[in-house]
Amino acid sequence: MIEPLPTIAGGQVKVPTDPGLGNSLDPDAVERYRVSDDYRVQTPRHRLTFHTGTAGNRTYGNMLKIREDYRRNRNTPVQPNVLSDDGTAEFDDVWMRAWKTRI
């Protein structure tokens, strides 16, 4: 994607003395690898259910919600159960709700 390729010697790249990095983008390569502005990487979906002792079971759709819950309530989840997306409507329904807030 850049021209010319930097020369690497002894695990180091020589820093140019002129302004910039001394390379330019290959516009054909940029166009070839361009993605749409609304492109999102598809990652596997998992439902994360934890037994929290006295608080019972809690189901989350993402790790951020677990962190928020722990910081707010000081509940440390234990005994994780991770359920991968099986393509069912039931999984989709629970995952969508758990993504927004713990259930």
Side-chain angles (χ1 to χ4, degrees):
M1 291 208 36
I2 58 173
E3 300 171 338
L5 290 175
T7 303
I8 300 172
Q12 298 179 348
V13 175
K14 184 177 179 180
V15 178
T17 56
D18 295 332
L21 295 176
N23 303 93
S24 60
L25 288 175
D26 176 355
D28 293 333
V30 171
E31 197 56 42
R32 187 169 47 250
Y33 294 108
R34 182 180 305 277
V35 296
S36 65
D37 290 341
D38 60 348
Y39 176 79
R40 298 290 178 264
V41 175
Q42 296 296 315
T43 56
R45 299 187 317 168
H46 302 285
R47 247 178 24 210
L48 307 154
T49 301
F50 294 91
H51 180 70
T52 58
T54 57
N57 290 331
R58 293 197 174 158
T59 299
Y60 302 86
N62 65 68
M63 295 301 290
L64 182 59
K65 296 298 180 189
I66 295 170
R67 182 174 174 259
E68 288 173 1
D69 197 36
Y70 170 73
R71 292 183 78 182
R72 183 176 32 252
N73 301 318
R74 298 289 186 231
N75 286 329
T76 305
V78 294
Q79 299 176 356
N81 177 26
V82 179
L83 181 63
S84 297
D85 189 349
D86 59 5
T88 63
E90 187 266 342
F91 180 95
D92 191 60
D93 174 60
V94 174
W95 184 85
M96 292 297 284
R97 289 186 290 128
W99 179 259
K100 296 173 186 165
T101 186
R102 71 170 165 81
I103 56 174

